[in-house]
Amino acid sequence: MSDAATMSPGGRALNNSLVMTARSLRLSSRNVDAVFTSLMLPIMLMLIFVYLFGGAISTGTGEPYVAYVVPGVLLLCAGFGSSGTAVSVNEDMKGGIIDRLRSLDVAGAAILAGHVASSAVRNVVSTVLVLGVALLIGFRPTPTLPGALAAAGLLLAFIIAISWLAAAVGLLTGSPEAAGAFSFFMMFLTYPSSTFAPIATMPSWIHGFAYNQPVTPVIESLRGLLLNQPVGTDPWVALAWCGGILLVAVGLSGRLFRNRTA
Amino acid sequence: MSPERPLEVADPERRTRAISAIGLEKSYGRGDRRVKVLDGIDLTVERGTVFSLLGPNGAGKTTAVRILATLADADGGTARVAGYDVRTQRRQVRRAVSLTGQFASVDEKQTGEENLRMMARLGGLSRPAARRRAAELLERFDLTAAGRRLTGTYSGGMRRRLDLAAGLVGEPEVIFLDEPTTGLDPRSRQELWRVVRDLSAGGSTVFLTTQYLEEADQLADRIAVLDGGRLVAEGTAAELKSRVSGHRLDVVVADAAAYERLAPLAVQRSADTLTLGLPTDGTATRVRALLDEIDPERRDVVSFTVHSASLDDVFMALTGRAKTTKEPTHV
Ligand SMILES: Nc1ncnc2c1ncn2[C@@H]1O[C@H](COP(=O)(O)OP(=O)(O)O)[C@@H](O)[C@H]1O
Ligand SMILES: [Mg+2]
């Protein structure tokens, strides 16, 4: 009765990944609280920084503070959004659903790909919302068309890389609560970067880390591309980081998945 | 397929049996914390029959089932399920079997129908075919009315039925059920028993694990008793029961000396109350004879009561010792 036998292995993997993505999106749509929280926090942070602290922060760019802070908020938002992935992967591993999926011969990669793809969809939606709010409070980006596409592509690459990293964290942690702490990790990665203030204004002992961690080149690239300013090699460094994180996360999560289901 | 292995030459019927396992072994943990969970298990299940693996908590039932369903690898031994080798032909085995585990294997935040449609799509059905299959299964398991509710709102019995239905989207030849009625109320248990009988009547092979002698007795053509990772008995329910006395005589003895003297014969012991439980068939003749035998002077036994045998007594009769409730011994 089943077409599974006649489907090519690639076709089956794609079919299964799509079904798992649809599942994951459906589950997110029924967990609006969590999605809403992961969206509200970055937007609140943006409003707080723009209206409360923004006046005190000199970015040295001549742009209004909102233009400075938006790229970082987009990343923060992606970080919070993907911590939902860590939680759902962790919850999946605790229940009987993984055994059922494996006995239907669904590969671990398809299960994780479903989580990551739905995380990407959620994050695209929240990115649009954050940009909407930013426009309302005076953000006026001036990208060229290629610049806008490059920014979108880079942000998507970042989202996918850290979503897959979040999936690995979900496999690594023992409880959904611990998995949820991934959002703190993302917060502590964005604060010592040029998210809210130029790194040059921070104490010098942190410069080495702040300049050379993955979030900074992504933010610098997005800021440059959105405001149509020169970006130098930042986009390439950023892409290399995303590719490296993705590679490590995919390898690590594959290993962890096998270990946890052996 | 690879050329014949010696085992297959020795036993060509292995290919046609629903399940045939030889010498399955599995250990968990590392170093001196390594625990042998399965210690050389042989199993044979004929097509179209109901087979029950009976054993207390921690006996290794889930481990055995997961190995047979290809979800875990054995450390030693071989197994063929539905004619395929669980190690080298994993994919074919997975297509031919389904496993409904001890824990819920459906999403609480999806409706019953959505869960089933998802499983059917993963089984390779097209969208419309998956919808039809889901509707069929809901109907068959009496869940049509609940099909559009989130499964988080289902009762325990409904959840188990949906779990079972989810395992049947691919029309498996061999159905594994791991403790399908543990935690269910008596009515839901009866309903599940009916479902298992229907599956069997429909020609499927059912392999179920249970902690309840009665359940194995009610459903299974053959029963294997697993204890501490070893099979301690195998046969039909009638055969097993003939090896068990069926009742237990509890005697309260007069003093510690009598207690020490009689303790080796007992299935159950309680030193505090000086009570010992002895296996018997419950007939007046045998009870009288047993009392005379253990207390010829008629001064050690103070009082007695007769109970019908529990699973503990069955284990005592089969293993010669009390049911292990602790973890298996370290190896
Ligand atoms: N993944 C595992 N890691 C370590 N020990 C395990 C694992 N799975 C099962 N065990 C141990 O193996 C023994 C048998 O477990 P199990 O097969 O679940 O028994 P049953 O299903 O009969 O209750 C138990 O002592 C359990 O603690
Ligand atoms: Mg079990």
Side-chain angles (χ1 to χ4, degrees):
Chain A
M1 63 101 214
S2 147
D3 318 330
T6 59
M7 237 185 254
S8 73
R12 232 179 90 71
L14 183 65
N15 172 65
N16 289 349
S17 304
L18 289 176
V19 175
M20 293 318 292
T21 306
R23 162 192 184 246
S24 187
L25 282 172
R26 195 176 298 131
L27 296 181
S28 311
S29 76
R30 285 173 192 165
N31 195 4
V32 181
D33 290 2
V35 176
F36 189 70
T37 314
S38 74
L39 181 62
M40 281 318 289
L41 229 61
I43 290 183
M44 298 288 282
L45 272 173
M46 173 165 73
L47 296 177
I48 288 171
F49 271 85
V50 168
Y51 288 115
L52 292 186
F53 308 142
I57 301 172
S58 159
T59 61
T61 58
E63 299 285 346
Y65 183 70
V66 63
Y68 182 84
V69 84
V70 161
V73 171
L74 291 179
L75 258 62
L76 206 53
C77 197
F80 284 149
S82 52
S83 82
T85 301
V87 175
S88 354
V89 167
N90 190 277
E91 280 172 347
D92 269 8
M93 297 310 291
K94 291 182 103 70
I97 187 90
I98 294 290
D99 269 359
R100 161 66 21 89
L101 294 173
R102 287 178 70 223
S103 60
L104 280 163
D105 210 24
V106 179
I111 299 172
L112 297 180
H115 280 293
V116 171
S118 92
S119 169
V121 171
R122 285 197 309 270
N123 275 305
V124 166
V125 173
S126 56
T127 298
V128 169
L129 288 173
V130 168
L131 281 177
V133 175
L135 288 173
L136 283 179
I137 61 173
F139 179 49
R140 293 291 173 265
T142 51
T144 60
L145 182 61
L149 292 177
L154 185 57
L155 187 58
L156 193 62
F158 181 78
I159 285 170
I160 289 173
I162 62 158
S163 296
W164 212 299
L165 187 64
V169 169
L171 291 169
L172 197 61
T173 43
S175 69
E177 291 75 20
F182 184 71
S183 58
F184 284 100
F185 169 73
M186 285 308 294
M187 238 154 76
F188 287 115
L189 215 51
T190 43
Y191 288 159
S193 80
S194 57
T195 302
F196 295 109
I199 295 172
T201 65
M202 297 175 189
S204 57
W205 56 267
I206 209 164
H207 286 186
F209 175 75
Y211 281 117
N212 294 299
Q213 58 124 321
V215 166
T216 300
V218 181
I219 290 180
E220 290 299 321
S221 310
L222 289 182
R223 194 175 283 141
L225 292 168
L226 290 177
L227 301 178
N228 196 17
Q229 290 163 355
V231 288
T233 56
D234 276 338
W236 302 112
V237 176
L239 268 183
W241 268 112
C242 293
I245 291 171
L246 186 63
L247 225 61
V248 169
V250 169
L252 182 66
S253 60
R255 242 191 116 90
L256 290 169
F257 189 88
R258 274 192 300 281
N259 283 348
R260 285 196 59 166
T261 54
Chain B
M1 229 181 292
S2 58
E4 302 307 79
R5 272 165 281 255
L7 270 176
E8 287 160 20
V9 177
D11 183 6
E13 278 188 37
R14 271 195 93 194
R15 282 177 174 288
T16 61
R17 296 222 167 95
I19 299 170
S20 116
I22 298 178
L24 289 185
E25 288 182 18
K26 179 81 178 174
S27 300
Y28 282 115
R30 268 163 224 263
D32 58 346
R33 303 201 48 192
R34 196 159 175 82
V35 175
K36 198 150 213 173
V37 174
L38 290 183
D39 192 4
I41 304 256
D42 300 341
L43 292 168
T44 304
V45 180
E46 301 295 339
R47 276 180 203 275
T49 62
V50 178
F51 184 91
S52 176
L53 189 60
L54 172 68
N57 218 347
K61 302 181 296 295
T62 300
T63 306
V65 164
R66 285 173 52 87
I67 290 172
L68 293 174
T70 78
L71 297 183
D73 285 325
D75 301 332
T78 62
R80 296 188 78 86
V81 174
Y84 302 108
D85 187 298
V86 293
R87 195 187 305 264
T88 59
Q89 295 171 303
R90 185 172 292 229
R91 182 147 293 172
Q92 288 90 326
V93 174
R94 286 188 182 176
R95 284 222 211 302
V97 311
S98 86
L99 165 62
T100 299
Q102 216 169 330
F103 304 102
S105 60
V106 292
D107 285 319
E108 291 196 359
K109 293 262 173 105
Q110 291 201 81
T111 67
E113 197 204 354
E114 285 165 345
N115 270 297
L116 292 180
R117 268 165 48 192
M118 173 178 87
M119 304 299 176
R121 296 276 290 137
L122 293 170
L125 295 192
S126 67
R127 227 176 268 276
R131 179 165 302 142
R132 278 196 303 275
R133 186 90 187 110
E136 258 166 55
L137 285 167
L138 288 172
E139 173 81 44
R140 177 160 158 206
F141 287 89
D142 208 12
L143 290 168
T144 305
R148 286 174 186 271
R149 263 167 45 201
L150 297 186
T151 63
T153 68
Y154 284 18
S155 70
M158 289 162 74
R159 178 83 67 86
R160 289 295 171 96
R161 296 209 300 278
L162 183 69
D163 259 341
L164 236 162
L168 299 181
V169 289
E171 302 181 37
E173 287 171 48
V174 181
I175 299 164
F176 292 100
L177 305 175
D178 193 11
E179 299 200 23
T181 66
T182 299
L184 291 190
D185 59 78
R187 208 182 116 244
S188 308
R189 176 165 298 167
Q190 296 283 345
E191 282 173 1
L192 233 116
W193 285 0
R194 182 180 58 76
V195 168
V196 172
R197 290 194 185 103
D198 286 352
L199 287 172
S200 172
S204 304
T205 308
V206 179
F207 184 112
L208 75 97
T209 75
T210 183
Q211 301 194 32
Y212 310 115
L213 180 63
E214 189 203 356
E215 182 160 287
D217 187 11
Q218 286 281 329
L219 296 174
D221 298 305
R222 290 189 77 77
I223 300 170
V225 182
L226 184 66
D227 184 40
R230 288 171 188 274
L231 289 187
V232 293
E234 219 236 287
T236 63
E239 284 166 2
L240 289 185
K241 275 193 279 186
S242 72
R243 297 175 58 175
V244 177
S245 314
H247 284 76
R248 195 181 75 224
L249 175 71
D250 284 354
V251 294
V252 178
V253 295
D255 52 35
Y259 182 86
E260 291 302 326
R261 184 173 62 81
L262 295 174
L265 300 173
V267 196
Q268 297 226 324
R269 305 176 189 93
S270 167
D272 294 347
T273 57
L274 291 179
T275 306
L276 293 164
L278 307 160
T280 167
D281 66 0
T283 60
T285 324
R286 291 283 186 80
V287 169
R288 217 174 255 141
L290 183 60
L291 284 170
D292 282 342
E293 186 192 321
I294 61 170
D295 185 19
E297 318 280 313
R298 304 210 170 175
R299 58 158 193 244
D300 286 347
V301 174
V302 179
S303 64
F304 70 86
T305 47
V306 179
H307 301 273
S308 54
S310 68
L311 185 58
D312 297 73
D313 306 318
V314 176
F315 274 101
M316 174 61 190
L318 292 173
T319 64
R321 59 182 172 76
K323 180 170 125 183
T324 28
T325 42
K326 55 180 177 359
E327 298 290 282
T329 47
H330 291 256
V331 290

